Amino acid sequence: MTTVEAPPSHLKENPWEMARSQLRRIAGLIDVSDSMLNVLQECKKCVSVSIPTRMEDGSVHVFEGFRVTHNVARGPAKGGIRYHQDVTLDETKALSMWMTWKCALMGLPFGGAKGGVVVSPKELSEDELQRMTRRYTSEIINLIGPEVDIPAPDVGTGPREMAWIFDTYSMNKGYSVLGVVTGKPLEIGGSLGRVEATARGAAFCIREALRKEGHEVAGRRVAIQGFGNVGRNLALILADQGASIVAVSDSTGGIYNPDGLDVAAAVEHKRTHRSFDGFDGAEAITNEELLILDCDVLAPCALEQVVTGDNADKVKAGIVAEGANGPVTPEADQILDERGVLVLPDVLANAGGVVVSYFEWVQGLQEYFWKESEVNAKLNDIVTRAFAETWREHEERDISMRQAAYAIAVGRVAEATITRGLYP
Ligand code: NAD
C-alpha cells in the first residue's frame, strides 16, 4: 500500500469557527438574544454525498460533495458551488453563513447556502467533469429548486457547469426549470451582465470608498490577486475606468509593473499560455509579494485567509476590497483596522454576483429578459445603496465596515426570524 500525502490546504484557520466568532461578536454589539444567536449560529441543513464517477480509463472514482443551507428566514437559500481540492464541510458551512449575511445586506429575498465538491477540476477531462456534475446534481436534486435552494458558480465552476446542473434538473422534472440555477449561459436563460457582475459590484464599492477619500478611480494603483471570474473582470473594469493595475496573479504566481500592466494583453497571454510565464513588460512576483505591494487598492480575489496576522502589518494599500470570500482573517482585520486601512468586506464588496443572480432568477421566473444596461443600472442602485447604509452604520457606531455590514445583515435576518415566529 502506498500513502499519498495530501497537499497542504490554503485554510490556516477553521473557516466555520471564524464565521461563528464573527457572528458572536456582532450579536454582542446589536442586542441579539442568546436564543436568536443559538438559531443563527447553526446551519439549517448539511448534506454530504458521495459522487461515483466513471473516469476516462474505465475506473470509478468516488468524489465527496456537500450542500449546506444556513438560513431561509428571508427566502429560498442561495449560494454557489465550489470545485476545489481543499473543500471541506466546515468551509462550505462558513460560506453558506456568509451568503445569508450577503443576501440580507443587499436586501434580497434569499437565505444562504453553499455547495462544494472535493476535486481538482483542472485534472479532469471535460467528460469526466460533466459526469461528476450531473451525478452530484442527482444526489442533491431534492434539496435544490427555484423556491428552495438556487445554486450558482463559485471557484472552479462557471456557466458550463451551471448548464449541466440546469439540464440534469430539468430532465428529471420533464420541462425546463430556468429558476433552478443562476450563472447559466445566455443561450439557456442566463442574464446579461452576470459573468462580470461580481467584479462590477466590487468596482462600484471601490469607487464609493475612493469618493469618501475625495479620490476618483482614474489614476489609482490597484493590485489584484486571482485572475478568474472576479479578479480578471475587476482588472478589466478598473483599467477601463482609468485605474493603473500594477499587479495581477493566479495560483502559480503574478506579474508586476509599477507603471501599470496592459490588462487586455495579460488576459490574452493567460488565455493562450494558461499562465503569466513569459509575459512581456512586467516582472514576476509571488502571491505573497503581491499582497504587500505599494498600491492604493488591494483586491484579494482568489481564496480565503491570504491576509493574516503574519502579513497584515506589511499591507501598504489604503483600501482592501474583498473580491474573494474570507480573504482577511479576523486577526488581520484587527491589525488593518488599527492601522487605518479601510477593509471593504466580502459581504459587501463581492455581492454583485448574487445581486445579478437574483436578477437572473427573477427574469427566469418571468421568462422576460432585460437589457444589459438595465441589469448594470439596477446593480449599481443596489450595491451603492448597501454601501451607503454600511458606511452610515460604520460612522454612527464607530465600527469597522465589516462589523457595520454584519450589524445590518444579522439584524435583518434576526428581525425576519422573529416576525415569522418559531415553528411549530
Ligand atoms: P475562479 O475559479 O474563476 O478563479 C479563481 C482564481 O484564483 C484563479 O485565477 C486561480 O488561479 C486563483 N487562485 C487559486 N488558488 C490561488 C492561490 N493559492 N493564490 C493565488 N491565486 C489563486 O473563481 P472566482 O469565481 O473568480 O472566485 C474567486 C473568489 O471570489 C472566491 O473566494 C469566490 O468565493 C468569490 N466569489 C465569486 C463569485 C462569482 O460570482 N464567481 C461571487 C462572489 C464571490
Side-chain angles (χ1 to χ4, degrees):
M1 197 180 86
T2 53
T3 311
V4 181
E5 250 182 52
S9 166
H10 69 278
L11 298 172
K12 298 167 191 89
E13 294 176 41
N14 182 321
W16 177 232
E17 288 311 322
M18 241 172 80
R20 278 158 67 109
S21 75
Q22 287 168 337
L23 169 63
R24 286 191 208 107
R25 264 203 302 277
I26 289 304
L29 202 76
I30 61 165
D31 201 18
V32 164
S33 71
D34 286 350
S35 296
M36 179 61 68
L37 180 60
N38 287 342
V39 175
L40 298 182
Q41 67 177 355
E42 299 298 339
C43 290
K44 177 181 159 63
K45 197 181 290 180
C46 302
V47 174
S48 165
V49 296
S50 64
I51 312 163
T53 304
R54 175 87 51 205
M55 308 303 280
E56 299 299 6
D57 64 4
S59 66
V60 174
H61 187 89
V62 182
F63 295 94
E64 187 181 17
F66 309 106
R67 186 73 192 169
V68 173
T69 308
H70 171 250
N71 186 288
V72 293
R74 293 174 46 89
K78 187 92 192 72
I81 291 176
R82 177 171 293 195
Y83 286 177
H84 193 276
Q85 62 275 13
D86 295 347
V87 163
T88 63
L89 179 57
D90 273 357
E91 182 194 45
T92 313
K93 287 166 74 173
L95 290 163
S96 76
M97 185 189 263
W98 289 329
M99 281 305 294
T100 301
W101 313 142
K102 195 179 297 182
C103 291
L105 181 65
M106 293 297 124
L108 308 180
F110 288 137
K114 205 76 181 192
V117 177
V118 187
V119 58
S120 186
K122 283 185 204 147
E123 288 167 18
L124 267 61
S125 71
E126 183 162 343
D127 284 347
E128 288 169 340
L129 261 181
Q130 178 166 175
R131 287 193 288 270
M132 197 270 289
T133 302
R134 287 183 181 276
R135 182 63 188 250
Y136 171 60
T137 309
S138 302
E139 296 296 342
I140 61 167
I141 205 150
N142 293 323
L143 305 174
I144 60 173
E147 287 91 24
V148 197
D149 177 359
I150 307 126
D154 191 74
V155 174
T157 59
R160 180 183 64 171
E161 287 75 16
M162 298 307 113
W164 295 332
I165 294 172
F166 160 71
D167 187 64
T168 306
Y169 187 89
S170 299
M171 282 294 147
N172 276 270
K173 289 286 168 195
Y175 54 92
S176 291
V177 184
L178 287 180
V180 67
V181 69
T182 58
K184 298 183 293 297
L186 285 178
E187 313 81 70
I188 54 168
S191 174
L192 289 165
R194 172 60 185 91
V195 170
E196 306 82 8
T198 306
R200 198 172 296 283
F204 290 146
C205 288
I206 291 168
R207 176 196 67 197
E208 294 302 306
L210 286 169
R211 266 185 195 160
K212 296 287 179 193
E213 297 177 350
H215 295 303
E216 292 188 345
V217 171
R220 295 298 103 194
R221 291 161 308 139
V222 184
I224 299 176
Q225 182 183 60
F227 210 62
N229 173 284
V230 183
R232 184 185 62 248
N233 285 306
L234 183 61
L236 286 165
I237 290 168
L238 292 179
D240 194 46
Q241 294 173 3
S244 172
I245 311 299
V246 293
V248 296
S249 71
D250 65 13
S251 58
T252 61
I255 45 175
Y256 170 59
N257 182 339
D259 299 325
L261 300 163
D262 180 343
V263 176
V267 170
E268 184 52 26
H269 188 92
K270 166 95 176 137
R271 197 181 62 77
T272 46
H273 299 82
R274 300 174 73 95
S275 86
F276 295 117
D277 281 355
F279 181 75
D280 278 344
E283 65 179 90
I285 51 164
T286 65
N287 267 298
E288 292 70 36
E289 287 167 342
L290 182 144
L291 297 168
I292 56 172
L293 282 177
D294 185 20
C295 60
D296 302 303
V297 180
L298 169 66
C301 300
L303 294 173
E304 300 97 325
Q305 301 178 17
V306 293
V307 182
T308 66
D310 294 338
N311 60 3
D313 60 333
K314 302 188 193 79
V315 168
K316 296 188 190 68
I319 295 174
V320 175
E322 293 188 325
N325 284 309
V328 177
T329 65
E331 192 187 349
D333 227 2
Q334 202 173 337
I335 297 170
L336 294 175
D337 198 38
E338 282 163 13
R339 294 185 47 224
V341 178
L342 182 68
V343 178
L344 305 178
D346 46 13
V347 291
L348 175 66
N350 70 32
V354 75
V355 171
V356 177
S357 272
Y358 165 59
F359 297 161
E360 180 178 333
W361 179 73
V362 169
Q363 292 171 79
L365 293 180
Q366 299 181 339
E367 312 231 7
Y368 175 71
F369 291 86
W370 311 344
K371 289 184 299 202
E372 186 165 2
S373 55
E374 203 176 335
V375 169
N376 291 343
K378 286 185 160 81
L379 172 64
N380 189 15
D381 285 350
I382 290 182
V383 171
T384 308
R385 185 191 62 208
F387 183 97
E389 287 170 348
T390 309
W391 188 268
R392 201 176 315 125
E393 192 82 6
H394 154 71
E395 291 214 306
E396 281 176 4
R397 287 181 183 263
D398 192 21
I399 52 180
S400 70
M401 285 292 274
R402 188 186 314 281
Q403 287 179 315
Y406 267 62
I408 296 169
V410 174
R412 285 177 183 168
V413 178
E415 206 175 294
T417 308
I418 291 166
T419 309
R420 286 176 72 139
L422 183 65
Y423 177 86

